[in-house]
Amino acid sequence: MRGIGNGDGSAEETTTFGFPRDTFRILHVSTGNVCRSPITERLTRHFVMERLGILGGGLIVESAGTWGHEGAPMEANAEAVLAEFGADASGFTGRELLDEHVITADLVLTATRDHRAQVISMGHSAGLRTFTLKEFTRLVRAIDPTTLPPLEDGLVARARALVRAAAALRGWLLAPTAEADEVYDPYGAPLTFFRSIGDEIHEALDPVVTALTGVPARM
């Protein structure tokens, strides 16, 4: 750990890679980082901005792939799905999942159980903060939002409490089937299948973003 100056003689505690502790980093992980995780990343940003009016409060949303197509553009059908939700797909480039991404992430949400296992196998004490997206949704639905810090205490404090509460419930709320926690890969599929995957991701993200921000989706 090291400190960086705040300009007033004080020091702000940072992580090994220099990121400030007053941020909360969500990392979405899929295989190629050109379909599922870009959709999930950009929809998360979009839905937070819809709730709060800004993407701020220390929240950082990123994505990477276990076999990431480094520097590749998002798949055209993924861009089309994001456009239909009104989300911004611009400026995206694929990334291969690296140790530093896992180390600096406060919450890792994966498309499948296989991705989750791969992230956890990288080490870095990732087990308590790595979930499949649908697994995290199931756990978040069981959390009483009144037990979380109010947004007035900061988005970071609320997000950290949400992850701790979800991790505590993990052994008690199991998936009804193994497939229930999977978001299947639409790579190479027609736009209609991409749309169905986009709808799945939207349905899974909605309660997560509501719990994170304390603000329900607009009807």
Side-chain angles (χ1 to χ4, degrees):
M1 306 288 289
R2 63 183 179 85
I4 58 175
N6 287 323
D8 59 359
S10 64
E12 180 181 2
E13 189 180 18
T14 65
T15 67
T16 303
F17 286 88
F19 296 111
R21 298 293 295 176
D22 59 352
T23 60
F24 186 89
R25 305 178 81 90
I26 301 176
L27 176 67
H28 293 290
V29 175
S30 62
T31 303
N33 193 216
V34 292
C35 298
R36 289 167 292 181
S37 51
I39 291 173
T40 316
E41 173 198 321
R42 293 307 175 94
L43 284 183
T44 301
R45 294 183 186 184
H46 179 66
F47 295 145
V48 170
M49 289 183 70
E50 278 190 334
R51 305 298 208 281
L52 301 181
I54 58 169
L55 181 66
L59 182 67
I60 300 168
V61 186
E62 304 172 310
S63 63
T66 55
W67 291 88
H69 299 177
E70 189 72 32
M74 192 186 309
E75 281 288 294
N77 283 344
E79 289 190 359
V81 166
L82 287 172
E84 290 174 0
F85 279 105
D88 182 15
S90 64
F92 180 86
T93 54
R95 301 194 304 174
E96 182 179 357
L97 181 66
L98 302 176
D99 288 286
E100 65 188 78
H101 301 147
V102 177
I103 290 168
T104 57
D106 298 286
L107 172 62
V108 183
L109 296 176
T110 70
T112 69
R113 292 168 298 141
D114 212 33
H115 297 130
R116 182 185 64 196
Q118 290 181 64
V119 171
I120 293 172
S121 73
M122 295 172 72
H124 316 304
S125 303
L128 290 177
R129 50 196 168 90
T130 302
F131 310 79
T132 73
L133 171 62
K134 289 185 175 180
E135 173 192 21
F136 194 67
T137 301
R138 182 174 67 254
L139 299 172
V140 163
R141 287 184 186 277
I143 296 169
D144 180 353
T146 64
T147 64
L148 300 174
L151 194 59
E152 289 76 12
D153 288 355
L155 188 60
V156 170
R158 186 177 177 93
R160 293 191 191 283
L162 183 66
V163 174
R164 288 193 300 268
L169 287 172
R170 175 179 263 156
W172 298 94
L173 292 175
L174 302 179
T177 66
E179 290 72 27
D181 283 343
E182 305 283 290
V183 177
Y184 290 107
D185 193 354
Y187 186 76
L191 180 57
T192 51
F193 188 66
F194 269 83
R195 284 179 174 141
S196 70
I197 293 300
D199 288 341
E200 277 188 46
I201 291 170
H202 170 227
E203 185 179 347
L205 278 177
D206 182 71
V208 172
V209 176
T210 296
L212 187 67
T213 63
V215 180
R218 296 173 186 167
M219 301 301 291

